[in-house]
Amino acid sequence: MLHFEKLEPTDAGLYTCQGVYDGLPDQVKIELTLEKKISFHDTKLEQFIKAGQDQLVQCHASSIPGPEIAWFRHGISTNLKNDHKYQITNDGLVIKNVQIEDEAIYLCQASVTSTGEIKRAQINVQVMHQPIWDVKPIDTDGVNGQDIVVRCKANAKPVPKYSWFRNGIMLVGERYVFTADSLRILKSNVNDRGTYTCEAENNSGKISANFRINILVGPVIAPLEEVRVLEGNEARLKCIVREAFPKAQITWKYADTLENISPSSDSSIEIVADSIEDSNDNLVGSWSELRIKPADRRYNRNITCVASNKAEVNERQVRLIVEYKPTLLINSESKEFYYSWLNVDSSGSSGSSSSHVSRGASVLMTCIATGEPKPQITWFFKTEQIKHDNVKYILHKQQSGLSQLEVIPDRLEDFGDYQCKAENTVGSSYRNIELRMATSPSLPPLLILQATKPESVNFQVTVSNEAESNGGLPIHTIKAQWRFLNSDWSNQNEKNFPVSNAERLLVHVGALMPDTEYLFRVAGVNKVGLGKWSQEIKIKTLSRRQPDPIRVLSKEDCAASTKCYIEWTSDSNGGSPIRDYLVKWRRLSYKDSSNKHVDTNRLGRWSDVVIIKAPITNYEITSILPNSFYEVDVVARNDIGPSASQPFRIRTLPGQIGELEAFRKPNESVINRIILICGSIIAAIILFIIIDVLLLMKFDCGLLAILTKSCTNQKEITIDFKPTPTKIVQHTNKSNHPYKPISQTEDHTGNASVGIYYV
């Protein structure tokens, strides 16, 4: 026996075993064949190759018998052959003129045909190449004081290393923040301007790109001083930008309206600017001058200088003051004349020789003036300046451009023209303000009859708002007087009616006697007193009659589902006190289960009349159905008779399920009674048939034959039979309503009982 401690590939071959058998020499030849499974060695699963060269992707496989090698890319569907791009060698796959596109997953396949064994190695081939720009840095504008970020990114394998330079010097320091693909400069300033370089490098090579950083500086505007000019002269406002980069553009606008100031929209405007050229590196100053000729008070306002460039927009305001002499205003507050009057006791009248006059009514006169500078105001009466004495003359609101003088006259000589003087450094102006004597209204009101009733009349009174007609003071009251035709005005009745700002006033006089003649007159009253009476009007009231139809005060929508509060009033009792009110109602419509209105107007019937004793004018209707419309009629009665009927509608709220079920029960009881009656009849018929069959079986003669005595061959049979009586209750459907009013409840006999409420 031949024993191998460890087989080697060289041990394979043809072996001869020699020996002697029965004294004769003999031999046997044996072939030793070795087998070894496929294995890969010296084969890295991730390999790096350089672009632009022929590179070998290594793959070593061994087996016994030796393997056959094949190469694939992107799976086994792409079998690589020897061609201009690929060459298969014993050491691996040669890729010629490697490009980035050759980066992929390659399969190195080893197979043994005799054994059928196949084994593959998946190799990730990475193509090493020098950096290629993904994001190339570009010229960048930064704003002074703000951070600047510049991106610089290259595609390379291995990943490149970045270096940053400014004017050829590498950037270092805390103000520079480097990331994988960017440079951040913190709080940039003008010294950061210059040419920068971004460099990307790996073991395959390096690339670089230059770019420029410009630091933009927002405009710095010099302070602007207030400009004063006399009206009619030329005004010049100059705006100076001390520094900016790039050069600032300067414009003007009004500060209050933000409207741009331009010569194209205002012929009084001229704008002159400098002609300094922009600089590529240095800060640039500039200026602009706004000229207004002639300047008038329209330009007395704040004006804004706006300087802007790519960095920012800055503004400064300047006050343009156009000085002009005061102008006195006349408006609703500052009038041309005012009214006052003297208080006179009962011994005389104002202006008479026997009158006793006390202090008059105070009046506040206002003087308003505009001007620049703000004017000071003084008062004069008959060329003498008025001083504050706190008795006759009291000065209020002594402000620039506004003054109020309170005058308390005590004699006729205090009335007349007062002067208001407004003065500033430019000049002065005067205006007369007249203090007039107020009187009671001189023009009587116009009285027009509107309506006549048995117990009342209505008038329309027209008053005048003209000062000449109402004595200079507004009429605050209309005094109405009336008397019987056959009496005098010493026995008159009167009533006061307050007057608003309207010229027309409706006057109602009540508590008159029916069928009676009266005389009416009216007069206006102001703070001075009673004015002239109007022309007298003779009126005869109507005869006694029924009351007017009531007027409803309550709303149509009720506050509940089964009750409703109503309230009313009567505008006229017809000359006779109202005794009571008659109230009734009926259902008009309701909403069914699908929320649609069902009209029951033809089927509804009126409730019983409820009598409400006067003076009560309200009532709460109860026991009505939810979600329904009702018609209500309220009639007023006096001794003459009832008023005309004028029904109105109310609407109840939707009810709860329990309330609806309660209203359905009367109809359900009708159905139950019908079923009971039909059942009783059927039971009686069945009982009759049973008795007839029993008699036929026993006497050969049925119940009908016995009762008619037509059974001649049988014995006479006396039957004492009384069937159980069935009480049939006839139900009369009094309404075709799907629901009956809750006030109608049926008793056991089918009759309806109605509840009546009285107040």
Side-chain angles (χ1 to χ4, degrees):
M1 175 181 288
L2 177 62
H3 178 73
F4 294 90
E5 289 292 338
K6 185 179 180 181
L7 286 174
E8 298 292 340
T10 56
D11 292 334
L14 183 63
Y15 288 82
T16 303
C17 177
Q18 297 178 346
V20 179
Y21 182 73
D22 290 339
L24 297 175
D26 197 4
Q27 65 179 12
V28 177
K29 291 185 177 183
I30 301 174
E31 184 178 5
L32 177 60
T33 302
L34 297 180
E35 290 184 3
K36 180 183 177 183
K37 290 186 177 295
I38 299 172
S39 62
F40 291 97
H41 56 89
D42 297 330
T43 302
K44 295 181 179 181
L45 299 183
E46 184 175 36
Q47 300 183 33
F48 294 89
I49 59 177
K50 292 184 178 182
Q53 303 176 13
D54 294 348
Q55 294 284 296
L56 174 66
V57 180
Q58 295 182 350
C59 179
H60 298 91
S62 62
S63 66
I64 300 177
E68 296 179 3
I69 302 299
W71 286 87
F72 300 90
R73 183 182 179 188
H74 300 306
I76 62 174
S77 60
T78 306
N79 188 5
L80 303 180
K81 304 293 185 182
N82 290 324
D83 54 19
H84 68 283
K85 183 66 177 176
Y86 302 104
Q87 183 178 353
I88 300 174
T89 67
N90 292 332
D91 293 325
L93 176 67
V94 176
I95 304 176
K96 301 175 183 179
N97 190 22
V98 173
Q99 301 297 319
I100 296 176
E101 294 80 9
D102 293 325
E103 186 173 282
I105 301 296
Y106 291 82
L107 294 180
C108 176
Q109 176 178 291
S111 61
V112 179
T113 304
S114 60
T115 62
E117 183 183 6
I118 298 175
K119 198 169 185 180
R120 301 183 182 95
Q122 183 172 283
I123 302 172
N124 183 10
V125 176
Q126 300 285 335
V127 177
M128 294 187 298
H129 59 89
Q130 71 175 22
I132 300 173
W133 289 120
D134 275 351
V135 179
K136 191 174 182 179
I138 59 175
D139 293 346
T140 302
D141 292 333
V143 178
N144 187 34
Q146 299 182 11
D147 293 354
I148 299 174
V149 177
V150 180
R151 292 196 63 200
C152 176
K153 186 177 181 181
N155 181 11
K157 287 191 178 178
V159 176
K161 178 183 177 182
Y162 295 92
S163 300
W164 297 83
F165 303 87
R166 177 177 175 270
N167 298 332
I169 301 174
M170 181 174 290
L171 299 179
V172 292
E174 295 180 352
R175 292 184 57 244
Y176 304 107
V177 179
F178 307 102
T179 64
D181 61 352
S182 67
L183 164 67
R184 179 183 292 270
I185 303 177
L186 303 178
K187 296 182 179 179
S188 64
N189 56 61
V190 293
N191 296 324
D192 291 319
R193 289 184 310 210
T195 300
Y196 288 74
T197 302
C198 175
E199 185 178 276
E201 182 180 11
N202 65 4
N203 55 14
S204 296
K206 68 178 179 180
I207 55 175
S208 63
N210 294 330
F211 61 96
R212 181 170 181 79
I213 290 181
N214 294 317
I215 302 301
L216 307 181
V217 179
V220 179
I221 305 175
L224 302 178
E225 295 183 357
E226 179 181 271
V227 176
R228 285 182 173 269
V229 63
L230 287 177
E231 188 173 33
N233 294 343
E234 182 182 42
R236 293 191 176 191
L237 294 82
K238 192 170 186 178
C239 180
I240 300 176
V241 176
R242 290 175 174 172
E243 61 179 29
F245 184 82
K247 180 181 177 181
Q249 299 295 321
I250 301 176
T251 58
W252 298 85
K253 66 180 180 181
Y254 295 113
D256 49 357
T257 63
L258 303 181
E259 177 187 358
N260 288 328
I261 302 175
S262 171
S264 61
S265 58
D266 190 342
S267 59
S268 300
I269 299 295
E270 180 184 5
I271 297 177
V272 180
D274 67 83
S275 57
I276 301 175
E277 297 295 331
D278 200 353
S279 173
N280 292 330
D281 294 316
N282 298 324
L283 298 177
V284 182
S286 56
W287 58 269
S288 175
E289 187 173 71
L290 172 64
R291 300 174 182 177
I292 306 174
K293 184 178 182 180
D296 58 42
R297 63 192 68 183
R298 292 181 299 125
Y299 301 103
N300 203 342
R301 57 207 299 188
N302 287 329
I303 295 177
T304 303
C305 168
V306 183
S308 61
N309 62 6
K310 293 172 63 177
E312 60 182 330
V313 178
N314 286 328
E315 298 180 352
R316 272 192 184 273
Q317 285 189 8
V318 58
R319 178 67 179 179
L320 173 59
I321 300 175
V322 180
E323 297 182 346
Y324 59 96
K325 66 179 291 186
T327 300
L328 293 164
L329 305 181
I330 299 176
N331 52 33
S332 59
E333 186 177 1
S334 179
K335 304 175 183 178
E336 293 184 88
F337 50 83
Y338 292 85
Y339 287 89
S340 182
W341 65 96
L342 298 175
N343 295 323
V344 182
D345 60 22
S346 59
S347 62
S349 60
S350 175
S352 67
S353 59
S354 61
S355 62
H356 299 279
V357 179
S358 60
R359 294 185 68 188
S362 67
V363 59
L364 191 65
M365 297 189 294
T366 301
C367 183
I368 300 176
T370 62
E372 188 61 49
K374 292 294 185 182
Q376 298 298 318
I377 296 177
T378 53
W379 293 84
F380 296 85
F381 182 59
K382 295 181 180 179
T383 70
E384 293 186 7
Q385 184 175 348
I386 295 175
K387 303 294 184 180
H388 178 92
D389 60 12
N390 208 30
V391 178
K392 179 180 292 186
Y393 301 118
I394 303 173
L395 292 173
H396 299 276
K397 291 187 177 181
Q398 284 298 99
Q399 304 169 0
S400 297
L402 172 65
S403 178
Q404 289 182 321
L405 172 65
E406 182 180 357
V407 180
I408 306 176
D410 57 11
R411 56 182 181 171
L412 291 176
E413 289 77 9
D414 293 332
F415 293 86
D417 288 335
Y418 288 74
Q419 289 81 39
C420 167
K421 176 184 178 181
E423 184 176 16
N424 63 9
T425 57
V426 181
S428 60
S429 298
Y430 294 85
R431 182 168 78 83
N432 287 338
I433 299 177
E434 183 183 1
L435 179 59
R436 297 178 178 179
M437 174 75 76
T439 63
S440 59
S442 59
L443 182 66
L446 178 63
L447 185 63
I448 300 176
L449 178 64
Q450 293 287 313
T452 305
K453 294 184 179 182
E455 80 287 3
S456 65
V457 291
N458 292 333
F459 295 99
Q460 176 181 285
V461 179
T462 303
V463 297
S464 174
N465 288 331
E466 298 294 331
E468 293 78 7
S469 301
N470 56 27
L473 299 175
I475 295 175
H476 59 75
T477 302
I478 291 295
K479 183 181 289 292
Q481 290 186 349
W482 63 94
R483 64 179 176 85
F484 294 113
L485 184 62
N486 55 1
S487 65
D488 56 36
W489 287 111
S490 61
N491 297 318
Q492 89 283 355
N493 295 293
E494 67 178 28
K495 185 176 180 181
N496 293 328
F497 298 90
V499 177
S500 62
N501 294 328
E503 294 183 355
R504 289 180 174 83
L505 176 69
L506 294 179
V507 173
H508 174 80
V509 178
L512 302 178
M513 297 180 62
D515 198 18
T516 304
E517 290 184 319
Y518 291 89
L519 284 179
F520 286 86
R521 67 180 183 179
V522 293
V525 182
N526 62 12
K527 289 184 178 180
V528 177
L530 181 68
K532 294 183 178 180
W533 290 102
S534 68
Q535 183 180 359
E536 298 175 0
I537 295 181
K538 184 176 73 172
I539 297 173
K540 183 177 182 181
T541 56
L542 300 179
S543 302
R544 294 171 66 237
R545 60 178 182 176
Q546 297 95 332
D548 283 356
I550 63 100
R551 179 163 50 88
V552 181
L553 302 179
S554 54
K555 297 180 180 180
E556 178 179 303
D557 291 331
C558 304
S561 58
T562 59
K563 58 185 178 181
C564 192
Y565 176 83
I566 58 173
E567 186 177 3
W568 63 89
T569 187
S570 180
D571 294 328
S572 174
N573 60 15
S576 178
I578 294 177
R579 186 175 60 194
D580 51 33
Y581 297 93
L582 308 180
V583 181
K584 63 180 179 178
W585 60 92
R586 65 176 176 179
R587 193 180 186 199
L588 291 179
S589 66
Y590 68 96
K591 285 187 176 181
D592 59 16
S593 58
S594 60
N595 207 34
K596 293 182 179 179
H597 271 289
V598 178
D599 185 15
T600 58
N601 187 36
R602 293 178 300 174
L603 305 176
R605 68 179 185 84
W606 288 105
S607 68
D608 291 285
V609 175
V610 178
I611 301 176
I612 308 297
K613 296 294 184 181
I616 298 174
T617 57
N618 60 75
Y619 180 66
E620 185 175 64
I621 302 174
T622 59
S623 302
I624 52 180
L625 288 173
N627 211 25
S628 301
F629 282 100
Y630 279 83
E631 184 180 31
V632 181
D633 189 18
V634 179
V635 175
R637 290 196 302 184
N638 61 10
D639 292 337
I640 306 301
S643 65
S645 176
Q646 193 166 309
F648 58 93
R649 289 198 321 175
I650 60 174
R651 179 172 58 185
T652 56
L653 293 177
Q656 303 296 326
I657 295 177
E659 293 174 328
L660 295 175
E661 292 298 329
F663 294 117
R664 289 192 181 100
K665 287 182 179 180
N667 285 342
E668 291 176 356
S669 63
V670 173
I671 297 174
N672 293 336
R673 288 184 180 131
I674 294 175
I675 295 174
L676 179 61
I677 293 172
C678 294
S680 300
I681 295 173
I682 293 172
I685 294 173
I686 294 174
L687 180 61
F688 182 87
I689 294 173
I690 293 173
I691 296 173
D692 186 68
V693 171
L694 293 175
L695 291 176
L696 183 62
M697 292 174 61
K698 186 172 183 180
F699 301 106
D700 295 330
C701 196
L703 179 61
L704 185 60
I706 294 174
L707 293 177
T708 57
K709 297 182 180 182
S710 59
C711 191
T712 55
N713 297 327
Q714 301 295 330
K715 296 180 180 179
E716 190 173 306
I717 301 174
T718 302
I719 298 176
D720 187 10
F721 173 74
K722 295 182 180 179
T724 302
T726 300
K727 184 177 182 181
I728 302 176
V729 180
Q730 184 176 3
H731 176 74
T732 302
N733 190 3
K734 301 181 182 299
S735 173
N736 290 331
H737 289 214
Y739 308 123
K740 292 184 178 179
I742 195 168
S743 62
Q744 300 179 8
T745 57
E746 295 183 352
D747 58 17
H748 294 292
T749 62
N751 298 322
S753 61
V754 181
I756 305 176
Y757 302 87
Y758 299 92
V759 178

